[in-house]
Amino acid sequence: MKLIDEFRNKDIAQGLIQRIHQTCTRPVQLMEVCGTHTVSFFRYGIREMLPKHIRLLSGPGCPVCVTPNEDIDFAIALSRQKDTVIATFGDMMRVPGSTSSFQKEKAEGGDIRIIYSPLEALKIARENPHKKVMFFAIGFETTSPTIAVALLRAHRENIRNLYFLNSQKQVPPTIRVLLQSQKVGIDGFILPGHVSTILGNDPFQFISEEFSRPAVITGFEPLDILQGILMLIEQIEAKRAAIEIQYTRVVHERGNPVALGKIAEAFETDGASWRGLGWIPDSGYRFRPPFDRLNARNLDVEVEPSFEHPECLCGEILQGIKIPLECRLFRKICHPENPIGPCMVSMEGTCSTYLKYA
Ligand code: SF4
């Protein structure tokens, strides 16, 4: 298949749905660890097509949502410094920190600019030599190679007024924490196609080897998703646990060695703080020593104590423990015009997806 329409073919979809119904004989809970999958499940009505005893859980798959308040508050504190420009991805603009957001800071005169590629931060820095430019570097393994390239280039060009506020995350250690915590029963994982394009399937092998759970790296079109779910159900019914790749037209077992090489050149693995999940060892990056002068966390900035809205359930939603409909604020007080938590802001956020489609 080559054209996008072919991955939405109704007859093939019906055949796959029928096979899922025939194959699945018992209740199962499957977790997707990618916000794009969450959106696709709703957009294409996949939840309604599946047997009632297959439950889909959303995991920590939205990079904006998993960014903890302390990092957002730090970025906001940076934006209040004199002669400072913040360069950020657009999704972050409206995400509330403890007491403010980039949108509010911009309305009050902060110089906050939306960028679409990390390399744009370099351009802003070159064009504003008398200002400090802070790039809020968030994202999973999909984004990290371009952040790494931007960091390496800024170092090579000796750009002195550019800093990176690093809040990048690595997905596999988080899956380990979810399995270890046993807060929610997960029978299998629908693994993220984008992240796996970079990583390949090797970093996910522990899911089957240590936890005896199956997982399938899955694409994002309806037929991809249905086939991925069928592959998972077949493994569960056969009591097998392997890391399979459904998204073979994009994902290779070894991932993307060039992209991985750039990440390794710029960063070392380090722990990272996640919303709802806390500090997870080896789930983030730190700068390699030659690049530490570009680290915004080295700057002396006063940051107010961080806190989250006591009724926001984003932390539990990101672990699959709760769904947005269980949040008292959902739709009534928290909505896209007045987001209380990040899950209502990001296009990949579970709350915003529920509001749009559920
Ligand atoms: Fe948080 Fe709003 Fe989602 Fe509730 S609906 S969990 S307040 S983002």
Side-chain angles (χ1 to χ4, degrees):
M1 289 196 279
K2 289 197 179 101
L3 300 173
I4 203 79
D5 282 355
E6 297 175 56
F7 292 94
R8 298 176 181 179
N9 182 292
K10 198 173 146 194
D11 294 334
I12 301 175
Q14 278 173 345
L16 287 166
I17 293 160
Q18 202 176 4
R19 283 178 62 195
I20 292 170
H21 278 262
Q22 287 163 350
T23 311
C24 188
T25 61
R26 61 195 179 91
V28 291
Q29 301 206 106
L30 308 178
M31 176 174 274
E32 84 267 4
V33 199
C34 176
T36 312
H37 276 143
T38 310
V39 173
S40 296
F41 291 161
F42 279 99
R43 180 184 291 152
Y44 299 121
I46 284 172
R47 286 168 170 262
E48 288 72 34
M49 297 175 202
L50 297 176
K52 291 277 175 285
H53 48 286
I54 296 182
R55 187 163 178 235
L56 298 175
L57 308 169
S58 300
C62 155
V64 169
C65 306
V66 300
T67 303
N69 263 13
E70 66 247 34
D71 285 4
I72 297 168
D73 294 341
F74 193 99
I76 287 170
L78 287 172
S79 77
R80 292 173 179 161
Q81 303 297 299
K82 195 167 171 278
D83 293 330
T84 297
V85 181
I86 297 285
T88 179
F89 296 130
D91 259 14
M92 205 30 117
M93 276 307 275
R94 292 170 49 250
V95 173
S98 299
T99 57
S100 185
S101 67
F102 280 152
Q103 192 174 45
K104 285 185 190 159
E105 296 299 318
K106 191 173 170 70
E108 285 172 22
D111 192 347
I112 296 156
R113 307 185 193 182
I114 292 176
I115 58 172
Y116 297 92
S117 155
L119 291 174
E120 288 176 57
L122 275 70
K123 186 167 177 277
I124 296 172
R126 285 189 213 104
E127 290 170 355
N128 297 274
H130 303 300
K131 293 190 172 180
K132 285 182 179 164
V133 178
M134 310 286 168
F135 169 46
F136 195 8
I138 67 156
F140 295 137
E141 289 90 338
T142 330
T143 318
S144 291
T146 53
I147 295 174
V149 167
L151 184 82
L152 295 168
R153 194 173 290 182
H155 178 70
R156 200 171 57 233
E157 291 182 21
N158 199 22
I159 298 177
R160 308 304 292 188
N161 62 327
L162 176 63
Y163 299 86
F164 290 63
L165 176 55
N166 177 32
S167 189
Q168 299 171 84
K169 306 283 187 286
Q170 300 192 41
V171 170
T174 316
I175 295 178
R176 179 187 292 280
V177 166
L178 290 174
L179 285 166
Q180 282 169 338
S181 80
Q182 297 184 350
K183 286 183 185 163
V184 57
I186 304 168
D187 298 300
F189 286 94
I190 298 162
L191 291 178
H194 298 143
V195 164
S196 306
T197 305
I198 305 298
L199 291 181
N201 65 355
D202 221 35
F204 297 109
Q205 292 299 339
F206 71 91
I207 299 174
S208 57
E209 288 168 3
E210 293 177 39
F211 296 94
S212 305
R213 301 293 204 293
V216 176
I217 295 168
T218 304
F220 300 96
E221 290 301 319
L223 296 192
D224 288 324
I225 293 168
L226 291 170
Q227 189 183 23
I229 291 172
L230 178 60
M231 289 164 74
L232 264 180
I233 299 296
E234 283 173 342
Q235 284 203 56
I236 291 167
E237 290 290 334
K239 296 192 171 33
R240 281 194 305 118
I243 311 303
E244 296 180 334
I245 305 175
Q246 178 279 328
Y247 203 25
T248 48
R249 67 186 183 279
V250 176
V251 177
H252 303 284
E253 283 187 8
R254 287 179 52 238
N256 182 331
V258 176
L260 290 170
K262 287 295 168 200
I263 295 174
E265 204 179 327
F267 306 116
E268 294 169 345
T269 289
D270 196 2
S273 181
W274 295 61
R275 184 182 298 273
L277 290 150
W279 183 261
I280 302 179
D282 301 333
S283 70
Y285 299 107
R286 64 169 170 263
F287 299 86
R288 289 199 176 274
F291 315 119
D292 206 46
R293 69 167 182 81
L294 293 145
N295 187 352
R297 292 187 198 269
N298 293 338
L299 299 170
D300 190 17
V301 186
E302 203 172 312
V303 187
E304 58 196 8
S306 294
F307 60 89
E308 288 173 19
H309 192 291
E311 291 188 85
C312 175
L313 301 182
C314 275
E316 285 96 329
I317 288 168
L318 289 166
Q319 298 173 72
I321 299 168
K322 302 258 181 184
I323 62 167
L325 303 177
E326 293 175 81
C327 175
R328 273 184 0 102
L329 309 183
F330 180 74
R331 202 192 307 260
K332 295 178 201 119
I333 293 169
C334 180
H335 45 79
E337 285 72 44
N338 180 43
I340 304 295
C343 306
M344 187 54 89
V345 181
S346 169
M347 275 166 54
E348 295 187 343
T350 309
C351 297
S352 108
T353 304
Y354 264 73
L355 192 75
K356 216 179 285 171
Y357 299 106

